[in-house]
Amino acid sequence: GSANLKNKTLVVTTILSNPYCMRKESAIPLSGNDQFEGYAVDLIHEISKSLGFNYKIQLVPDGSYGSLNKLTGEWNGMIRELLEQRADLAIADLTITFEREQAVDFTTPFMNLGVSILYRKGTPIESAEDLAKQTRIKYGALKGGSTAAFFRDSKISTYQRMWSFMESARPSVFTASNGEGVERVAKGKGSYAFLMESTSIEYVTERNCELTQVGGMLDTKSYGIATPPNSPYRTAINSVILKLQEEGKLHILKTKWWKEKRGGGKCR
Ligand code: GLU
């Protein structure tokens, strides 16, 4: 049923990831929600204004999005925070997946994306197939994220081969964050490509003019806000997301954080 959110204080779990949630630069020490800025921070602000609730932003302690340990049946990351009732909402670049949907609920999507490849400009690599048929250039993905899971679970032979190659690579090609993946590509002199979500690639290639998206998207999916199962807040939040979408507000936020803020629009 619908719930009255007025004057409630919700705990929002999130993760540092450009440009969704970033630490604000400041000469004076900041505290509470004021420490953070970004697309997800603006999104939760808009939703809270519309429904009249207060919120407290908390970074997920283990720095993970959320993956299921199939041996123990336990989740980590933001999904775990929801399941253990330490948070009411997870708002981030959190991908809606079948596996996660079994454990938590997702709202209506607020952004669409697909897996693609971040690499250096001006190389003969033009697609995932090009990467798959060679071994000199290493490639990897964020550890424990939905991109790694996409390759792990794919029934498509090219992607299965890419997964075996990634798993067997030493040193590991998996990264602890998207930022680490970007840095490996930027410093790798062409020796490393990073499998990353198209929206994040777009943010990077607006700012690092040596880097580019190689090929198209390997799948299509969306980000949504996650809640514990049967959260009374989900229906109300769905309505606000649809309204923000229809008003063009989500588009304005995307332009603000991708093109305008923090050195966007610098590569042409
Ligand atoms: N959005 C992904 C997730 O929710 C994290 C980034 C990635 O896996 O590329 O797991």
Side-chain angles (χ1 to χ4, degrees):
S2 64
N4 186 7
L5 277 151
K6 274 232 157 41
N7 299 321
K8 287 222 165 67
T9 297
L10 304 192
V11 176
V12 176
T13 178
T14 190
I15 190 166
L16 289 175
S17 176
N18 296 344
Y20 300 93
C21 180
M22 305 176 284
R23 277 196 194 281
K24 236 187 243 171
E25 283 158 21
S26 162
I28 53 159
L30 302 172
S31 64
N33 295 347
D34 202 34
Q35 299 169 85
F36 308 109
E37 64 176 7
Y39 179 98
V41 176
D42 282 358
L43 180 61
I44 181 59
H45 187 69
E46 289 295 328
I47 295 170
S48 77
K49 266 197 309 189
S50 178
L51 297 175
F53 63 84
N54 305 308
Y55 59 96
K56 207 172 145 227
I57 297 175
Q58 272 178 8
L59 294 180
V60 57
D62 70 359
S64 301
Y65 285 84
S67 62
L68 175 65
N69 180 329
K70 288 192 171 116
L71 298 176
T72 62
E74 281 180 8
W75 287 89
N76 71 1
M78 290 181 272
I79 304 295
R80 187 187 187 113
E81 295 303 293
L82 296 174
L83 293 175
E84 301 204 338
Q85 293 162 30
R86 286 188 292 269
D88 301 292
L89 305 173
I91 308 192
D93 50 337
L94 181 65
T95 306
I96 302 173
T97 68
F98 170 77
E99 200 173 53
R100 289 173 180 163
E101 185 76 84
Q102 311 304 303
V104 297
D105 286 340
F106 282 96
T107 64
T108 287
F110 61 82
M111 196 178 278
N112 303 315
L113 59 294
V115 170
S116 194
I117 303 163
L118 180 74
Y119 193 48
R120 293 237 301 200
K121 273 184 184 160
T123 73
I125 298 290
E126 285 175 348
S127 64
E129 283 70 27
D130 286 352
L131 280 181
K133 70 187 184 208
Q134 60 82 53
T135 55
R136 191 182 56 82
I137 304 161
K138 310 292 182 226
Y139 45 89
L142 173 72
K143 188 181 152 102
S146 56
T147 298
F150 165 80
F151 286 92
R152 184 194 66 203
D153 300 338
S154 181
K155 302 280 179 277
I156 297 169
S157 65
T158 300
Y159 305 149
Q160 288 180 339
R161 253 189 302 132
M162 290 175 75
W163 177 248
S164 312
F165 181 69
M166 288 190 259
E167 269 202 311
S168 61
R170 296 293 177 278
S172 174
V173 291
F174 296 104
T175 67
S177 66
N178 272 339
E180 184 190 331
V182 172
E183 195 175 302
R184 276 174 83 163
V185 178
K187 294 186 173 160
K189 304 196 169 92
S191 68
Y192 183 81
F194 190 54
L195 296 151
M196 193 184 200
E197 292 175 326
S198 53
T199 38
S200 297
I201 293 179
E202 195 192 324
Y203 181 82
V204 171
T205 56
E206 279 282 328
R207 288 158 181 80
N208 189 330
C209 311
E210 325 276 76
L211 304 186
T212 189
Q213 176 178 325
V214 166
M217 296 194 282
L218 311 186
D219 64 355
T220 50
K221 51 202 176 189
S222 309
Y223 297 145
I225 296 173
T227 68
N230 308 312
S231 163
Y233 310 136
R234 193 173 62 126
T235 333
I237 295 174
N238 279 342
S239 303
V240 180
I241 292 175
L242 286 177
K243 188 162 63 74
L244 294 172
Q245 167 71 38
E246 290 171 19
E247 289 169 351
K249 194 79 210 207
L250 294 185
H251 181 79
I252 291 170
L253 280 185
K254 174 103 199 282
T255 305
K256 172 182 172 187
W257 288 105
W258 267 254
K259 309 273 180 193
E260 293 164 6
K261 292 277 200 176
R262 297 201 185 199
K266 104 170 210 260
C267 309
R268 21 208 105 247

